[in-house]
Amino acid sequence: MNVRPRLIEEIATPMTTPPLLEQPAWVALAAHRDEVKSRHLRELFDEDPTRGLRYHRQAVGLYFDFSKNLITDETLSLFAQLVRDLKVEQRRDAMFAGEHINVSQDRAVLHVALRMPKDRTLPVDGVDVVAQVHHVLERMTTFANQVRGGQWRGHTGKPIKNVVNVGIGGSDLGPVMAYEALRHFSMRDLTFRFVSNVDATDFVEAVYDLDAEETLFIISSKTFGTLETLTNATSARRWLVEHLGDDTAVAKHFVAVSTNAEKVAAFGIDVANMFEFWDWVGGRYSMESAIGLSTMIAIGPENFYEMLAGFHAMDEHFRSAPFEENLPMLLGVLAVWNHDFLGFPTVGVMPYDQYLHRLPAYLQQLTMESNGKHVTRSGERVAYETGPIYWGEPGTNGQHSFYQLIHQGTTTVPVDFIGFANSLNPLDDHHDILMSNIFAQAQALAFGKTEEELRSEGADERTVPHRVMEGNRPSNVILATELSPRLLGSLIALYEHSVFVQGVIWDIDSFDQWGVELGKQLAVTIIPELTSDAPTKLAHDSSTNALITYYRSLKENGRGDGDF
Ligand code: G6Q
């Protein structure tokens, strides 16, 4: 497959299709919403006893039940039309073909190439990216095996026992989420730590009990220019050199993961110890690239390849299944339905699996950094809601705190419940208790509890209004056999592609992140103003001026009573 990358103008201005709000299917969905909004999930389930089965799909090891959404067959067929009219499938194919669909950065978006099998080829701009990917995977494999096998020795000859990933955002959340998720498969005599925050506490606590002689730092940064990561990496280098008393120790204790060999070398890491990736891998889509080096060391190359196979299986499903059977398409359009048509501003992601406790944070970046955009691909202000807020906590913990609002608050929160048939740590009846809560919570959210039911249960009349659960609150349930590297890959790819589908519908660039870039620049101008010898006259707004001045005086005299 060899494609001519389309010119940026060709992609950014596909004005053969009318804007979203004028799309006939969108207009029809808006009218349809008014009908559906008056319905209750109780009625919809009563009218169709097969609903729970009809609105479920199975693919790539996942059972996806979306029956407890406020939808009918018409909702799905209107979305099928919308997806067709907006050429979502063609845009998907353009991504897989390496076209520059990240329009504002004029880049291909090819995380799907990171998990293509070795026998595939994908020439982009004349280079086979699959061959590049596998070349790096092989280098990672050799290195991971050396560390795991104790052949990679530190400066004093001791094998590595501790691996510290230093990175932030996409260079941290994937590695930490994957390590936690797959800890069961990890090599238990290695210790893994993840340092992301520029708050020194993060670094100091991470290395507090580590022996420098046995510690390997993986400096993960796509650009190798991110202030937080470079600050932490510099502190890590100083810590190591202080402990080992020799500058040359860096060679055996630091490796880099980056796209920027020059900056890696300038930092003092031998590029022979650099694992490469490419500008067509977005940070939040990079956990299965070399950014996953810590994951590979933890779970071993074989399991890492299994994870890649899981990603790839979902890629193939997304690429080939018709809309009606396509899990990412369905998850994506349901998110648009709940957000744009029913007006629900957030999505709760509740994994009922302790190993997935960092999944909500990971998905928060994936979804909100991708689809938190206010202009279309051609730069027009959008006239509709784009990305919802994602948040969540593992069950059952959340049930004892914020689920109250989900059940009885005035805001509706659609929930994605994620659970497994088998526990990796079977212990008495823990797992059935855990899973009974998914089923019960989804049921209670959908069907609620009426006054009549409460009275028939003998509830004290005064408490009846307080105990009523209106129900009609949507949820998805995603079930799988058990958490495994392969399953994790498929689950992440499901969300990645669902984000893609939403982004195409909203006609936004899901693959840039100018808001994050802004954050990287803003602090830099203020840093020099926080030192005691900086000029006292500041040129910001009055609030920022006062805050900086107060901070400086508090820092200098401990009382904050300086002249501000
Ligand atoms: C991800 C974002 C962002 C990025 C970090 C770290 O999609 O671009 O979270 O991953 O800002 O950037 P570096 O990897 O370049 O240090």
Side-chain angles (χ1 to χ4, degrees):
M1 182 170 29
N2 203 346
V3 286
R4 172 183 73 83
R6 279 195 291 166
L7 298 172
I8 189 165
E9 307 78 48
E10 291 178 274
I11 298 166
T13 50
M15 278 307 147
T16 42
T17 48
L20 183 57
L21 296 184
E22 290 165 28
Q23 286 287 331
W26 187 273
V27 174
L29 277 162
H32 169 66
R33 174 255 328 270
D34 296 335
E35 283 162 42
V36 173
K37 258 198 138 168
S38 62
R39 310 299 311 277
H40 195 290
L41 282 168
R42 252 184 255 126
E43 294 161 25
L44 296 174
F45 270 84
D46 284 349
E47 282 166 15
D48 175 10
T50 65
R51 183 180 170 95
L53 276 180
R54 278 202 318 115
Y55 291 155
H56 101 279
R57 302 287 182 269
Q58 271 174 277
V60 199
L62 297 175
Y63 181 106
F64 176 46
D65 173 4
F66 54 98
S67 62
K68 298 191 196 77
N69 282 280
L70 260 174
I71 55 165
T72 66
D73 288 352
E74 195 182 346
T75 327
L76 292 180
S77 72
L78 288 173
F79 267 112
Q81 188 193 328
L82 185 72
V83 159
R84 228 179 3 258
D85 295 348
L86 292 175
K87 304 188 171 63
V88 176
E89 291 179 352
Q90 286 89 327
R91 290 279 303 285
R92 171 199 63 194
D93 295 344
M95 172 172 75
F96 277 87
E99 295 189 20
H100 287 204
I101 64 163
N102 176 351
V103 287
S104 80
Q105 295 182 297
D106 192 13
R107 284 180 183 167
V109 174
L110 273 175
H111 43 280
V112 292
L114 296 170
R115 49 261 194 157
M116 284 184 181
K118 201 176 173 182
D119 56 7
R120 290 277 281 271
T121 55
L122 179 56
V124 173
D125 304 336
V127 181
D128 177 15
V129 294
V130 179
Q132 286 184 310
V133 164
H134 280 273
H135 173 68
V136 175
L137 278 170
E138 278 153 26
R139 289 190 57 230
M140 289 166 65
T141 300
T142 305
F143 181 71
N145 282 335
Q146 283 175 342
V147 173
R148 289 165 63 85
Q151 293 93 11
W152 183 276
R153 302 271 163 161
H155 183 66
T156 59
K158 287 191 174 178
I160 296 300
K161 288 265 178 278
N162 316 307
V163 177
V164 182
N165 186 74
V166 178
I168 195 165
S171 301
D172 166 70
L173 284 160
V176 72
M177 181 279 291
Y179 170 68
E180 293 294 338
L182 302 177
R183 188 187 270 251
H184 184 80
F185 303 87
S186 70
M187 197 170 169
R188 298 297 182 144
D189 42 6
L190 292 177
T191 296
F192 289 83
R193 301 273 160 82
F194 298 85
V195 176
S196 55
N197 200 336
V198 74
D199 181 344
T201 300
D202 205 11
F203 173 73
V204 170
E205 288 291 344
V207 297
Y208 186 77
D209 55 350
L210 302 186
D211 179 350
E213 290 180 82
E214 300 175 336
T215 300
L216 173 78
F217 290 97
I218 303 176
I219 312 301
S220 297
S221 176
K222 181 174 169 180
T223 54
F224 231 76
T226 304
L227 183 61
E228 291 93 328
T229 299
L230 291 186
T231 307
N232 278 321
T234 305
S235 297
R237 188 173 52 193
R238 192 178 318 115
W239 177 84
L240 185 94
V241 171
E242 270 168 22
H243 279 78
L244 302 188
D246 187 348
D247 275 353
T248 62
V250 170
K252 289 289 176 199
H253 293 266
F254 276 74
V255 297
V257 178
S258 188
T259 58
N260 195 329
E262 239 170 70
K263 286 195 175 169
V264 167
F267 179 83
I269 297 176
D270 185 347
V271 288
N273 294 332
M274 170 182 145
F275 298 86
E276 190 190 0
F277 63 119
W278 308 272
D279 73 356
W280 42 261
V281 185
R284 55 196 173 277
Y285 295 88
S286 66
M287 61 171 272
E288 72 282 25
S289 72
I291 289 288
L293 183 61
S294 60
T295 315
M296 191 192 266
I297 297 173
I299 64 174
E302 208 176 304
N303 279 322
F304 193 86
Y305 277 98
E306 271 291 296
M307 183 179 80
L308 296 181
F311 271 104
H312 182 65
M314 184 57 77
D315 295 343
E316 291 298 280
H317 168 75
F318 178 50
R319 177 138 100 151
S320 58
F323 170 82
E324 290 74 15
E325 300 299 323
N326 196 306
L327 266 49
M329 291 273 191
L330 292 168
L331 187 62
V333 301
L334 287 168
V336 173
W337 174 243
N338 283 330
H339 191 45
D340 286 80
F341 292 95
L342 300 179
F344 306 146
T346 81
V347 180
V349 184
M350 314 299 172
Y352 277 59
D353 187 301
Q354 191 57 31
Y355 284 126
L356 292 181
H357 71 108
R358 293 295 284 160
L359 182 69
Y362 175 83
L363 291 182
Q364 208 160 45
Q365 179 187 28
L366 177 68
T367 56
M368 291 167 71
E369 198 172 345
S370 297
N371 285 342
K373 308 290 162 63
H374 73 297
V375 295
T376 63
R377 289 180 301 146
S378 53
E380 310 282 322
R381 181 78 163 82
V382 296
Y384 38 84
E385 290 290 328
T386 62
I389 295 162
Y390 276 75
W391 59 284
E393 276 290 321
T396 58
N397 297 7
Q399 288 174 213
H400 297 265
S401 62
F402 55 78
Y403 274 40
Q404 168 58 37
L405 183 148
I406 302 183
H407 282 291
Q408 288 190 303
T410 51
T411 295
T412 300
V413 181
V415 176
D416 288 355
F417 291 104
I418 301 167
F420 300 95
N422 299 306
S423 170
L424 293 173
N425 296 299
L427 185 63
D428 301 328
D429 51 359
H430 282 243
H431 197 65
D432 284 344
I433 295 174
L434 174 73
M435 291 304 293
S436 69
N437 277 281
I438 288 199
F439 306 134
Q441 290 293 327
Q443 193 177 37
L445 286 171
F447 307 119
K449 190 150 242 194
T450 62
E451 290 184 12
E452 296 70 47
E453 283 166 345
L454 284 161
R455 289 197 182 102
S456 73
E457 287 170 11
D460 176 346
E461 194 55 36
R462 280 173 311 134
T463 67
V464 167
H466 300 280
R467 295 174 63 177
V468 165
M469 310 272 166
E470 291 168 346
N472 221 18
R473 294 166 189 234
S475 64
N476 293 313
V477 178
I478 298 170
L479 286 181
T481 309
E482 69 184 17
L483 180 57
S484 64
R486 178 178 277 263
L487 190 280
L488 183 72
S490 299
L491 186 64
I492 299 301
L494 167 66
Y495 276 94
E496 285 177 348
H497 297 320
S498 140
V499 162
F500 175 86
V501 170
Q502 295 168 57
V504 176
I505 292 177
W506 291 319
D507 190 26
I508 56 180
D509 187 339
S510 298
F511 300 102
D512 62 11
Q513 57 282 314
W514 296 103
V516 175
E517 311 297 337
L518 174 73
K520 291 187 183 186
Q521 293 152 17
L522 285 182
V524 175
T525 60
I526 292 184
I527 294 166
E529 296 173 353
L530 302 185
T531 56
S532 53
D533 52 355
T536 48
K537 187 135 185 60
L538 299 168
H540 304 283
D541 59 275
S542 57
S543 164
T544 310
N545 286 347
L547 286 167
I548 292 175
T549 310
Y550 184 69
Y551 168 81
R552 275 174 54 171
S553 77
L554 201 55
K555 199 166 81 152
E556 280 156 26
N557 62 28
R559 295 186 302 276
D561 56 359
D563 174 18
F564 69 96

